[in-house]
């Protein structure tokens, strides 16, 4: 029996306005079949950030207040306009990344952190982390900690506030 999801690796591609491929890159990390691509953002210096995280369908990385089995996992790559990887950052304090925006020298990363309540009973807490463009974590916050949910989108308004959209159970 063959399962296709064991064969996927995260990657990205640059195309022109006619849909022609200019270049393509694939990243082969350990257990990369579990990782899915979620976000892409360009910053003013022409650098591009590419974020991907585990596939929560199989297996489910978790954090437990009793023990830490597998960890939440997110990877953020910085690359240039020809696809060369400049930096790779690995974070274990958020596991599901759905949104990535650039805001005055910082990347706002939004998604969810996964927890195990009891054996094989999982839930996710809506989470935002903020990292600078060197990859240093500067802020982390979970929201609606008594519910199961994820942040799916974030935008910044001209007044400096943010709108965050997502889902809760």
């Amino acid at each position: 029996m063959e399962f296709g999801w064991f064969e996927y690796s995260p990657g990205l591609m640059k195309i022109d306005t006619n849909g022609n491929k200019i270049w393509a890159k694939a990243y082969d990390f350990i257990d990369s079949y579990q990782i899915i691509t979620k976000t892409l953002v360009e910053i003013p210096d022409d650098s591009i950030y590419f974020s991907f995280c585990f596939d929560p369908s199989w297996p489910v990385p978790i954090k437990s207040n009793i023990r830490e089995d597998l960890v939440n996992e997110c990877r953020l790559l910085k690359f240039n306009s020809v696809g060369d990887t400049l930096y790779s950052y690995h974070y274990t304090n958020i596991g599901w990344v759905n949104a990535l925006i650039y805001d005055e020298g910082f990347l706002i990363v939004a998604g969810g952190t996964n927890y195990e309540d009891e054996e094989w009973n999982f839930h996710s807490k809506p989470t935002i982390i903020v990292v600078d463009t060197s990859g240093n974590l500067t802020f982390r916050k979970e929201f609606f900690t008594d519910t199961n949910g994820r942040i799916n989108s974030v935008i910044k308004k001209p007044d400096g506030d943010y709108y965050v959209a997502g889902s809760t159970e």
Side-chain angles (χ1 to χ4, degrees):
M1 181 176 284
E2 192 172 309
F3 296 98
W5 47 265
F6 278 105
E7 299 169 8
Y8 293 107
S9 293
L12 60 129
M13 176 172 51
K14 182 177 182 178
I15 60 173
D16 65 18
T17 56
N18 294 316
N20 299 312
K21 180 177 78 172
I22 297 170
W23 53 257
K25 299 284 181 176
Y27 299 92
D28 188 20
F29 295 104
I30 297 172
D31 295 332
S32 63
Y33 62 87
Q34 301 171 23
I35 300 173
I36 57 175
T37 304
K38 296 301 283 185
T39 58
L40 196 61
V41 69
E42 184 174 16
I43 65 172
D45 73 358
D46 207 28
S47 295
I48 301 165
Y49 287 85
F50 170 49
S51 172
F52 47 90
C53 49
F54 70 92
D55 177 352
S57 303
W58 178 266
V60 179
I62 56 153
K63 277 191 177 178
S64 170
N65 49 4
I66 299 171
R67 67 190 191 290
E68 225 175 58
D69 289 340
L70 300 169
V71 295
N72 289 280
E73 186 170 11
C74 167
R75 189 173 291 272
L76 179 67
L77 295 183
K78 178 180 180 179
F79 65 96
N80 62 21
S81 61
V82 295
D84 298 326
T85 302
L86 303 175
Y87 299 104
S88 175
Y89 309 101
H90 180 254
Y91 304 98
T92 58
N93 46 18
I94 190 170
W96 181 260
V97 177
N98 292 325
L100 177 67
I101 64 171
Y102 175 76
D103 183 17
E104 298 178 17
F106 294 93
L107 296 166
I108 314 301
V109 183
T113 305
N114 300 290
Y115 292 89
E116 181 180 27
D117 293 329
E118 53 191 63
E119 191 170 358
W120 297 106
N121 185 20
F122 304 100
H123 71 279
S124 183
K125 294 180 182 179
T127 306
I128 288 182
I129 65 172
V130 177
V131 298
D132 64 21
T133 55
S134 297
N136 299 311
L137 180 72
T138 62
F139 177 82
R140 180 184 186 279
K141 180 159 179 122
E142 291 180 351
F143 300 88
F144 302 110
T145 57
D146 57 340
T147 64
N148 187 14
R150 289 191 187 103
I151 297 171
N152 295 318
S153 183
V154 60
I155 60 171
K156 184 178 181 182
K157 298 299 294 167
D159 66 5
D161 290 338
Y162 298 88
Y163 281 115
V164 178
S167 58
T168 59
E169 186 177 279

